Amino acid sequence: MSALPVYRWRLAPDGLATRRQLRALGLRPGGQDVVAELQRPRRRRGPLVAYLYRIDQAKPVRPMTPARRAALAAAMRARRTCPNCRRDAGYCIPRSLGMCVPCSDSFTAAA
């Protein structure tokens, strides 16, 4: 049994928020412990659980540094580059295909 208070979906008290709600407010948990659970019941499986944090103890989100911005741009560029034709596809390459759509189409047509 959990020592945390458990609230049903949409019935959490004011002053508590999930990570996503904190992020929408420009905040982060900042090392604080989880203070409660939020549970959303489902029919055939166990409930969905979200952890709640206190808004008054949350800290502001850290600003994006130039190094982090460059690393994020490099990671996104790698996701857009087709390993087959080495061109920037302009969108993230689907993992199911493993290559850009034109290369995938020509690959399946040749097979």
Side-chain angles (χ1 to χ4, degrees):
M1 183 114 181
S2 175
L4 296 174
V6 177
Y7 299 103
R8 297 219 8 138
W9 196 251
R10 298 184 188 266
L11 297 178
D14 292 335
L16 299 181
T18 63
R19 282 181 174 267
R20 285 188 178 192
Q21 291 169 336
L22 287 176
R23 187 61 183 211
L25 296 171
L27 301 171
R28 61 186 169 94
Q32 65 173 301
D33 291 331
V34 174
V35 295
E37 279 186 9
L38 187 67
Q39 290 189 353
R40 180 178 179 198
R42 297 191 289 183
R43 290 184 183 195
R44 293 187 177 97
R45 294 183 281 179
L48 290 174
V49 176
Y51 298 112
L52 299 172
Y53 301 90
R54 292 182 49 173
I55 295 174
D56 60 346
Q57 291 182 355
K59 296 180 180 177
V61 175
R62 294 183 187 118
M64 183 72 80
T65 63
R68 286 178 64 192
R69 190 177 313 278
L72 183 60
M76 291 307 293
R77 189 170 42 255
R79 289 183 66 190
R80 289 190 317 261
T81 304
C82 176
N84 200 22
C85 63
R86 296 286 186 206
R87 288 188 304 205
D88 186 345
Y91 54 87
C92 289
I93 305 293
R95 292 181 64 187
S96 59
L97 297 178
M99 59 186 83
C100 65
V101 174
C103 288
S104 175
D105 290 345
S106 65
F107 183 75
T108 55

